[in-house]
Amino acid sequence: MGYRAKFRVWRGNANTGALTSYEVDVNEGEVVLDVIHRIQATEAPDLAVRWNCKAGKCGSCSAEVNGIPKLMCMTRMNTFNPEDVVTVSPMRAFPVIRDLVTDVSYNYKKAQEVPVFEGPKDLAPGEYRMQQEDVARSQEFRKCIECFLCQNTCHVIRDHEENKKVFSGPRFLMRIAELDMHPLDTTDRKHMAQDDHGLGYCNITKCCTEVCPEHIKITDNALIPMKERVVDVKYDPVRWLGSTIKRRTS
Amino acid sequence: MERHSYDVVIIGAGGAGMRAAIEAREAGLSVALVSKSMFGKAHTVMAEGGIAAAMANMNSNDGWQVHFRDTMRGSKFHNNWRMAQLHAQESPMRVWELETYGALFDRTKEGKISQRNFGGHEYPRLAHVGDRTGLELIRTLQQRIVGLQQKDKKEFGEYEAKLRVFQECTITELMKDDSGVIAGAFGYWRETGDPIVFDAAAVVLATGGLGKSFKVTSNSWEGTGDGVGLALRAGGTLIDMEFVQFHPTGMVWPLSVKGILVTESVRGEGGVLTNSEGRRFMFDYIPDVFRDKYADTEAEADGWYTDPDNNRRPPELLPRDEVARAINSEVKAGRGSPHGGVFLDVSKRLDAETIKRRLPAMYHQFKELADVDITKEPMEVGPTCHYVMGGIEVEPETTATVGVPGLFAAGEVAAGMHGANRLGGNSLSDLLVFGKRAGAGAAAYINSLSTRPKLSDAAVKIAEQKTFAPLANGGNENPYTIHQELQQVMNDLVGIIRIGTELQDALTKLAELKVRMGKVGVAGGKEYNPGWHLVLDLENMHLVSTSIAKSAITREESRGGHTRDDFQEMDPKWRNKNVACFMADGDVQVKLKDLPMLPADLAALFEQSELKKYLSEEEYAQLPKEVA
Amino acid sequence: MKNGMLSAGRARISERTLRTDKWWLQPFVTFAVLISFVIYSTFRAFENANYYTTPLLSPFYSPCLAVSCVPGSSDLGQPIGSWFMLSPAFLILFIPLGFRMTCYYYRRSYYRSFWLSPPACGVGEPHSKYTGETRAPLILQNAHRYFFYLGLLLNFVLTYDVILAFRNENYEWGHLSVGTLVLFVNASLLWLYSLSCHSCRHALGGRLKHFSKNPVRYKLWTWTSKLNAKHPMYAWISLLWVAFTDFYVRSVSTGFFTNFYIF
Ligand SMILES: Cc1cc2nc3c(=O)[nH]c(=O)nc-3n(C[C@H](O)[C@H](O)[C@H](O)COP(=O)(O)OP(=O)(O)OC[C@H]3O[C@@H](n4cnc5c(N)ncnc54)[C@H](O)[C@@H]3O)c2cc1C
Ligand code: SF4
Ligand code: SF4
Ligand code: FES
Ligand code: FES
């Protein structure tokens, strides 16, 4: 079953780098990360790669395989032909540290800027009551393993470094949607989504959804519904009027 | 050299470390939370099944006493009763707290937290979110930490004013002041390889497990037992190191994913174990101590899923050690599956939609890694090294480590709570209960200090030299090869079934490896150099392995996670003996310690006949009359 | 390359993409189909003829509101006077046009295939600046729900057209032709397209915080969510079928083929 595969792995740092060729043994059932580890154990002991669980659960091993953002531990070798050259490069939206390891601190910064869950003040621990149908939407988003592949592939920042200041990326816009749909969250998140986190930059081209290893429907279930919620409070004169009258009368 | 000063440094950002950080910050301390992986990626993220807490949402008969009783039974009465009691009493509140941080568990019809069945738990007790409970736990705590940082930003103008996360930063040494109390920690940044020094009045170890010393393991990369090594070298004591939990169901095929966990919920939801002859073999392996609690016919076992009050539970849900040994025996007897495991099948009891909803991660895992559709076909599973019950000896109330003032430990790295065998779901609750206690313990300790310990430059110098020495080594041994050989030794000679002679062999081999470790060479520089990192981790893995092997030789009986082929029976004389490891003369030494005796009021929770099976005759005779 | 992928600190990889699959195929096909549709529909809107043949009215001209409409084609009367000299198609075409232009799915498609922003995932785009839908004119995309409501009105009209098509050339009821079926399928597809719309999903239940307090709307939402997953498919089929319906009417009208009567 085994064969020798041709690999090109990007090696380098923030200043310089290039794709380096390797020929490596591949056994049945292996994934790209196994092959990278074999290169490390045999030819290049200092090949830098980030990983942790090797089970698709932690979101550490994000990289690009043949140009497509992927988890290396979940990319099976049998998805390639034995004669194909497999190219592995670091995520291209973030600064590279070394080889396949990138600096993803942008994401942690954005995470810090999303105001956290704020429950009702009058409920003590143990008194929370929520129905399954009310938590299901947010639960989908909480499947996120923070691999940041969606952030990496989103052209808003991948192709436009300057947008990193104003755009939090699909992962964190989805986080805002998660909280806005949380049945017990008490903060209004709609203006914040548009004004502070750049929801308007998203042109719903769905690349985030395409690469999400958790198969979360980021665009359809989080970003577009959030855009609709923003329209409710910002761009829909009828609803705006309605809610203003309601507020006046109550 | 980069140098920081904090009240407390918490090493490890898994469930235990994060919960400790939250507690310490809320107690007003300045906190450094250090993790060698990225924030939010710690091993806890992999936990699947759930968090055990007697909230009694599914069955009103549940309560802390029942949970306590199950925990004691699971541990073969070998754990620290006080820890088990605190754990059973406090875990419901710890879970409810998570909801106030924003966690979204699966719900019951009344809108409460839904709870599921798990091996060894009398009632449905595990709060869960599908089969990704660990992720929910990690993310919730992570977001709570961010929340505290947001508060600090309002007050002090900066997110990280009082609580900072140091990610991809590995601690290599603990440092003490001249009087022998903890004064700080030394480490390096993985990204740059630059050194970093922490001055701290207290240190909490929350470094998790040590599965990476074994070849087949469900543990992630960081499970190298660093905390155990750090504590040993700092003068701490380990107990129960011989008790290693082999989870009965890990993947066995393809080879590259061998060991990855198949959650116990598969059995909790109705999965059935069969051998190559199609027989549900678990009925043949019900031990006497459990005979009255488990079904002995398939009809009764099947009936339990719908009517648990009138049927006994299926033997697939026996404690993990029993199931793991049973699978091991079936495979050895030649009744295994094609790739050396047994079959686990849920497709016959649940329809495809239900499987995908209740076990989504398992469905994906098998689909994507093994091309197996678990809604149609059985899985192949076999035992995998999963959890270590042993670890650092701590005080139950404060988690202070025995023998090192200022050092605390919580989570998988600490010992005592689970004794000879851990029940599923009891780890996540352990992390929360004792994580919180560690944070509070450190705060109380710091408040009691009259002066802050001072870190000497000499201590820093020594730590620095030690950490960077491998980079200057010109040896020709490959660290990756040594690691593989170490794992093989542990797997073959210190695995599920142990024999005295093999354990001796293991020690000899470990000694040889130690010599070779002195000759490893590291290629490349200090920036993100996995070769160098491995060399540093190897030292800890070696200490771990030696401790396990030495403890295993010492304990001449079989109990829970420790099975000796040459001493097959559980021996009441050993029940209250902890095998303790400590460092002396540059090597791991072993001694015996007594466990505290169960107090009468807690002993009264058990039937006399049950106590009689575990306690020695003298102990039984000593119990007050009204109990015995 | 003025693209941000070579910003300071990022891996020095000069290729716009390292993808080896046929990533350009999808945007190319999308472009080709959309352009063909635009050309055909523009031609037909200007043609101002061959849109009605008893009892079939082309969806491009329904409702036909101007005095200039051919006899029999104006189901809803002719409120627009003779001052309107253009083709009556222009009176209503802005509705389906606006509806589809602001549709979340079509936006995705034409941003990718026409504006190349991005052409495909992980493929660098050719623009050096990008502000998305944050400012005019693209901020107007937020008006989508209004087009959705207008589109619903049109759907009713087109459904009425189907009913009228249960007649024969002599306006006698109780007949069914292939043309009736073509119109029927057309109206059904447009309903599916509209009811699977994201704005519809939002209005029916998406905007709620507590489904459990609104069980009926939750049911509706669950149902529209199922349709919503197939919205792209409905978008394409309904587009092609509208064009085909018009083509059918035109062909019958020009005598290119006859409308066969089943009974
Ligand atoms: C696949 C799987 C499924 C499981 N399922 C369940 C379940 O359903 N229920 C349950 O109760 N338990 C379960 N467990 C067990 C449970 O997940 C673990 O025991 C628990 O998560 C350990 O948590 P911890 O906080 O002690 O440490 P970990 O989560 O292991 O975290 C350790 C932390 O320490 C850091 N660290 C380690 N060494 C150093 C160092 N030298 N310097 C700096 N940082 C360091 C790491 O980076 C990490 O952040 C499961 C375990 C596995 C492997
Ligand atoms: S859908 Fe929006 S967030 Fe997702 S990749 Fe496209 S532009 Fe980015
Ligand atoms: S949403 Fe999906 S792609 Fe994005 S970080 Fe989470 S898991 Fe990764
Ligand atoms: S290593 Fe954890 S997701 Fe790949
Ligand atoms: S019509 Fe496509 S989303 Fe509304």
Side-chain angles (χ1 to χ4, degrees):
Chain A
M1 276 290 155
Y3 69 96
R4 270 182 94 68
K6 295 189 206 55
F7 261 67
R8 288 193 305 165
V9 181
W10 193 87
R11 311 241 12 217
N13 56 30
N15 304 315
T16 111
L19 290 166
T20 311
S21 297
Y22 298 96
E23 277 207 18
V24 220
D25 288 327
V26 174
N27 305 317
E28 191 188 344
E30 286 190 329
V31 293
V32 168
L33 186 61
D34 289 310
V35 179
I36 296 291
H37 279 156
R38 189 160 299 122
I39 295 176
Q40 204 179 49
T42 54
E43 290 181 62
D46 62 338
L47 170 61
V49 53
R50 193 185 264 138
W51 65 288
N52 208 346
C53 66
K54 203 173 169 281
K57 295 213 161 79
C58 72
S60 300
C61 63
S62 307
E64 299 187 6
V65 180
N66 285 344
I68 301 179
K70 291 231 184 223
L71 294 178
M72 284 185 275
C73 72
M74 294 303 276
T75 309
R76 298 189 68 191
M77 285 305 294
N78 67 5
T79 54
F80 309 105
N81 292 321
E83 60 277 7
D84 288 350
V85 179
V86 179
T87 306
V88 188
S89 47
M91 289 194 280
R92 292 176 70 183
F94 308 121
V96 67
I97 292 171
R98 219 164 72 75
D99 303 342
L100 300 177
V101 178
T102 45
D103 171 4
V104 292
S105 54
Y106 159 78
N107 301 289
Y108 287 96
K109 222 175 281 137
K110 292 298 176 187
Q112 266 176 343
E113 290 166 5
V114 179
V116 295
F117 169 75
E118 199 69 61
K121 295 258 176 313
D122 54 333
L123 288 186
E127 292 176 355
Y128 280 41
R129 294 290 176 275
M130 297 179 261
Q131 292 301 320
Q132 185 60 41
E133 64 261 36
D134 292 337
V135 299
R137 278 182 298 182
S138 300
Q139 276 186 333
E140 181 192 7
F141 310 146
R142 291 182 73 85
K143 286 197 307 197
C144 168
I145 56 173
E146 300 209 328
C147 64
F148 307 131
L149 286 173
C150 57
Q151 305 281 88
N152 169 51
T153 199
C154 179
H155 69 116
V156 178
I157 50 174
R158 184 181 174 98
D159 293 350
H160 305 280
E161 179 74 20
E162 68 283 3
N163 284 343
K164 282 187 180 168
K165 283 199 289 292
V166 289
F167 184 64
S168 295
R171 170 33 186 144
F172 297 104
L173 291 168
M174 176 175 91
R175 164 83 171 134
I176 294 172
E178 171 208 317
L179 290 166
D180 209 55
M181 296 176 192
H182 189 302
L184 291 179
D185 184 52
T186 53
T187 315
D188 178 49
R189 315 250 169 199
K190 296 165 189 84
H191 288 96
M192 159 197 322
Q194 189 80 349
D195 304 340
D196 307 336
H197 297 275
L199 181 59
Y201 282 82
C202 162
N203 67 353
I204 51 171
T205 34
K206 276 200 181 173
C207 288
C208 47
T209 309
E210 264 182 44
V211 301
C212 176
E214 286 293 302
H215 310 292
I216 304 173
K217 301 260 182 304
I218 308 170
T219 321
D220 283 344
N221 289 349
L223 303 178
I224 295 177
M226 207 56 214
K227 280 191 175 237
E228 284 290 316
R229 285 168 178 235
V230 169
V231 176
D232 279 352
V233 299
K234 281 185 77 109
Y235 305 114
D236 185 337
V238 178
R239 285 206 71 82
W240 177 81
L241 205 69
S243 62
T244 314
I245 293 169
K246 230 196 219 156
R247 231 179 301 129
R248 284 277 163 80
T249 51
S250 67
Chain B
M1 200 181 300
E2 183 176 350
R3 192 157 173 166
H4 301 271
S5 179
Y6 285 92
D7 293 332
V8 54
V9 170
I10 295 167
I11 308 175
M18 290 213 233
R19 190 63 188 82
I22 292 168
E23 195 62 18
R25 180 69 202 103
E26 285 179 341
L29 303 187
S30 68
V31 182
L33 181 57
V34 189
S35 159
K36 70 177 182 176
S37 56
M38 283 196 300
F39 191 37
K41 313 272 177 222
H43 177 76
T44 301
V45 88
M46 296 173 75
E48 292 162 354
I51 311 178
M55 297 182 285
N57 290 349
M58 313 300 277
N59 191 321
S60 55
N61 294 329
D62 204 4
W64 75 261
Q65 292 90 342
V66 191
H67 192 181
F68 170 79
R69 204 160 57 200
D70 290 343
T71 305
M72 293 298 292
R73 277 181 193 139
S75 80
K76 316 290 175 214
F77 281 74
H78 180 69
N79 51 355
N80 182 309
W81 63 267
R82 181 62 181 153
M83 289 180 89
Q85 183 189 22
L86 289 172
H87 167 260
Q89 287 172 332
E90 294 176 1
S91 47
M93 187 46 87
R94 295 292 86 78
V95 173
W96 287 325
E97 257 165 19
L98 294 179
E99 286 200 304
T100 68
Y101 302 164
L104 288 175
F105 293 102
D106 288 348
R107 318 304 299 181
T108 65
K109 285 247 162 7
E110 307 89 76
K112 295 182 185 169
I113 296 174
S114 168
Q115 299 184 269
R116 68 158 47 121
N117 281 304
F118 237 54
H121 292 282
E122 189 166 341
Y123 298 112
R125 192 178 281 147
L126 269 70
H128 60 274
V129 190
D131 46 9
R132 54 163 190 86
T133 315
L135 173 65
E136 186 70 12
L137 182 83
I138 280 272
R139 205 61 83 226
T140 303
L141 293 174
Q142 184 182 353
Q143 284 159 354
R144 174 66 177 177
I145 285 176
V146 166
L148 292 172
Q149 290 178 325
Q150 288 173 352
K151 259 199 212 138
D152 285 343
K153 164 136 175 149
K154 282 206 189 102
E155 201 175 333
F156 305 103
E158 241 182 276
Y159 287 114
E160 293 174 340
K162 293 277 173 186
L163 168 53
R164 179 166 167 199
V165 180
F166 294 78
Q167 52 176 344
E168 299 209 299
C169 179
T170 307
I171 299 296
T172 54
E173 291 300 321
L174 300 177
M175 296 176 289
K176 302 199 275 190
D177 76 356
D178 302 333
S179 67
V181 306
I182 284 290
F186 184 93
Y188 65 90
W189 289 103
R190 288 166 59 80
E191 286 182 6
T192 57
D194 292 335
I196 177 167
V197 176
F198 293 96
D199 288 274
V203 169
V204 177
L205 288 172
T207 54
L210 46 70
K212 279 291 155 187
S213 293
F214 290 81
K215 188 170 156 207
V216 179
T217 175
S218 64
N219 285 195
S220 62
W221 150 86
E222 53 189 7
T224 52
D226 290 8
V228 166
L230 289 169
L232 263 187
R233 293 199 295 272
T237 317
L238 311 178
I239 54 170
D240 291 343
M241 289 301 286
E242 66 277 29
F243 295 114
V244 176
Q245 182 170 81
F246 288 84
H247 195 290
T249 57
M251 290 177 81
V252 295
W253 184 257
L255 269 187
S256 88
V257 297
K258 188 163 180 167
I260 291 186
L261 193 73
V262 178
T263 173
E264 187 165 329
S265 334
V266 175
R267 281 170 288 139
E269 300 286 357
V272 161
L273 289 165
T274 53
N275 61 19
S276 59
E277 295 162 1
R279 181 175 166 73
R280 257 177 98 169
F281 58 85
M282 279 312 298
F283 288 101
D284 310 337
Y285 292 90
I286 306 174
D288 286 337
V289 283
F290 289 117
R291 209 160 276 291
D292 48 341
K293 302 242 162 9
Y294 287 83
D296 43 21
T297 62
E298 292 200 19
E300 184 177 0
D302 291 342
W304 177 83
Y305 288 101
T306 44
D307 181 11
D309 290 335
N310 294 310
N311 292 290
R312 288 171 298 173
R313 44 180 46 221
E316 272 87 4
L317 292 178
L318 277 161
R320 289 177 177 172
D321 52 330
E322 312 287 354
V323 185
R325 270 193 302 270
I327 294 177
N328 201 57
S329 310
E330 285 297 305
V331 175
K332 277 222 169 120
R335 294 188 291 269
S337 66
H339 299 105
V342 293
F343 297 107
L344 172 60
D345 196 349
V346 285
S347 66
K348 297 221 172 61
R349 197 184 309 273
L350 301 180
D351 61 75
E353 277 317 303
T354 314
I355 295 176
K356 283 189 207 163
R357 196 177 65 248
R358 299 217 190 127
L359 303 164
M362 280 306 110
Y363 173 74
H364 270 130
Q365 183 173 313
F366 274 88
K367 190 103 211 150
E368 286 174 26
L369 292 175
D371 274 337
V372 167
D373 181 350
I374 66 168
T375 65
K376 300 206 181 76
E377 321 159 58
M379 303 159 242
E380 276 187 73
V381 295
T384 177
C385 174
H386 184 56
Y387 185 88
V388 60
M389 275 66 76
I392 304 167
E393 189 184 12
V394 295
E395 306 279 353
E397 320 280 335
T398 60
T399 81
T401 62
V402 175
V404 193
L407 185 61
F408 298 77
E412 189 168 344
V413 72
M417 163 67 210
H418 306 288
N421 176 47
R422 169 179 76 91
L423 292 186
N426 267 3
S427 168
L428 294 185
S429 41
D430 166 13
L431 307 183
L432 296 171
V433 168
F434 293 101
K436 176 177 156 77
R437 283 185 166 271
Y445 165 81
I446 291 173
N447 288 335
S448 75
L449 289 178
S450 47
T451 52
R452 258 182 91 110
K454 252 188 85 61
L455 195 55
S456 71
D457 290 342
V460 174
K461 196 97 225 138
I462 295 172
E464 186 188 7
Q465 263 161 8
K466 198 163 165 238
T467 303
F468 290 91
L471 279 170
N473 252 3
N476 52 7
E477 289 282 357
N478 180 335
Y480 296 96
T481 314
I482 295 189
H483 183 205
Q484 280 159 13
E485 288 181 31
L486 177 97
Q487 291 178 320
Q488 196 72 51
V489 169
M490 294 303 283
N491 233 66
D492 296 349
L493 305 175
V494 200
I496 302 191
I497 312 287
R498 298 157 177 174
I499 305 176
T501 49
E502 289 187 357
L503 291 169
Q504 278 303 345
D505 283 354
L507 281 174
T508 316
K509 295 216 160 113
L510 285 171
E512 289 165 16
L513 284 173
K514 176 96 198 164
V515 175
R516 286 171 55 197
M517 276 163 58
K519 300 184 202 149
V520 292
V522 174
K526 67 191 170 88
E527 284 106 45
Y528 217 109
N529 186 339
W532 172 43
H533 303 164
L534 181 58
V535 174
L536 295 170
D537 294 344
L538 261 180
E539 184 188 350
N540 294 320
M541 286 190 269
H542 193 272
L543 281 175
V544 162
S545 305
T546 313
S547 306
I548 296 176
K550 286 196 171 169
S551 303
I553 291 188
T554 311
R555 181 172 290 274
E556 299 187 326
E557 65 154 350
S558 293
R559 179 184 296 271
H562 171 69
T563 306
R564 286 280 297 260
D565 213 24
D566 42 354
F567 298 95
Q568 295 189 353
E569 296 303 312
M570 184 152 80
D571 181 349
K573 281 205 300 291
W574 276 99
R575 188 202 63 84
N576 76 333
K577 294 277 181 282
N578 281 136
V579 181
C581 299
F582 58 100
M583 283 293 260
D585 313 323
D587 203 0
V588 178
Q589 314 288 338
V590 175
K591 66 180 179 208
L592 291 184
K593 275 189 151 182
D594 281 345
L595 260 169
M597 183 59 193
L598 192 65
D601 57 328
L602 292 178
L605 294 171
F606 299 89
E607 305 254 337
Q608 311 171 20
S609 55
E610 183 169 16
L611 290 176
K612 220 168 184 165
K613 287 182 208 158
Y614 290 102
L615 303 190
S616 67
E617 271 164 37
E618 304 92 80
E619 285 172 326
Y620 189 67
Q622 276 170 22
L623 283 178
K625 277 268 155 355
E626 62 272 26
V627 178
Chain C
M1 185 167 67
K2 32 191 179 137
N3 186 288
M5 275 194 292
L6 281 182
S7 305
R10 301 208 200 169
R12 305 278 103 189
I13 299 172
S14 52
E15 286 90 339
R16 203 152 64 97
T17 183
L18 291 170
R19 282 180 71 163
T20 50
D21 55 340
K22 295 196 189 68
W23 56 264
W24 42 266
L25 189 64
Q26 208 198 18
F28 179 75
V29 170
T30 310
F31 180 83
V33 173
L34 286 180
I35 273 288
S36 317
F37 181 83
V38 168
I39 294 173
Y40 175 76
S41 55
T42 312
F43 154 69
R44 283 289 287 147
F46 277 103
E47 194 184 22
N48 197 4
N50 304 325
Y51 54 83
Y52 184 71
T53 166
T54 326
L56 307 176
L57 174 60
S58 156
F60 286 180
Y61 285 79
S62 177
C64 208
L65 297 174
V67 177
S68 62
C69 291
V70 297
S73 66
S74 300
D75 326 330
L76 301 184
Q78 301 180 333
I80 309 292
S82 56
W83 55 267
F84 190 81
M85 315 261 279
L86 296 172
S87 155
F90 291 113
L91 287 171
I92 51 119
L93 260 180
F94 77 95
I95 296 176
L97 186 73
F99 189 31
R100 288 190 191 247
M101 282 293 281
T102 58
C103 161
Y104 288 98
Y105 175 70
Y106 280 106
R107 269 142 82 183
R108 166 195 182 273
S109 302
Y110 64 76
Y111 286 143
R112 280 193 184 198
S113 59
F114 283 70
W115 196 240
L116 306 179
S117 179
C121 305
V123 180
E125 62 181 49
H127 314 283
S128 59
K129 260 195 99 60
Y130 174 87
T131 54
E133 301 182 336
T134 55
R135 58 181 70 177
L138 292 183
I139 200 164
L140 292 176
Q141 305 277 31
N142 287 312
H144 180 58
R145 58 178 60 171
Y146 285 100
F147 286 108
F148 162 70
Y149 294 128
L150 290 174
L152 281 187
L153 293 182
L154 268 196
N155 286 352
F156 279 108
V157 174
L158 293 175
T159 309
Y160 184 54
D161 287 342
V162 177
I163 297 172
L164 294 181
F166 280 95
R167 299 177 300 178
N168 63 11
E169 283 104 338
N170 305 321
Y171 298 104
E172 287 160 357
W173 288 93
H175 295 277
L176 180 116
S177 65
V178 174
T180 321
L181 295 177
V182 172
L183 255 58
F184 174 76
V185 172
N186 183 47
S188 311
L189 287 172
L190 288 172
W191 275 112
L192 283 172
Y193 173 64
S194 301
L195 293 176
S196 61
C197 160
H198 279 282
S199 290
C200 173
R201 188 181 184 215
H202 177 72
L204 286 180
R207 68 159 56 96
L208 296 172
K209 200 158 180 99
H210 298 277
F211 284 142
S212 54
K213 293 182 186 153
N214 297 277
V216 177
R217 287 180 72 182
Y218 176 55
K219 269 244 157 62
L220 289 172
W221 178 83
T222 316
W223 171 79
T224 184
S225 296
K226 279 201 190 107
L227 289 182
N228 181 261
K230 297 196 193 114
H231 188 60
M233 187 180 86
Y234 297 140
W236 283 122
I237 308 186
S238 66
L239 183 83
L240 295 176
W241 197 270
V242 164
F244 173 73
T245 307
D246 174 78
F247 174 75
Y248 186 88
V249 174
R250 183 176 191 276
S251 304
V252 173
S253 166
T254 55
F256 184 56
F257 48 67
T258 38
N259 185 21
F260 178 73
Y261 274 84
I262 298 163
F263 54 82

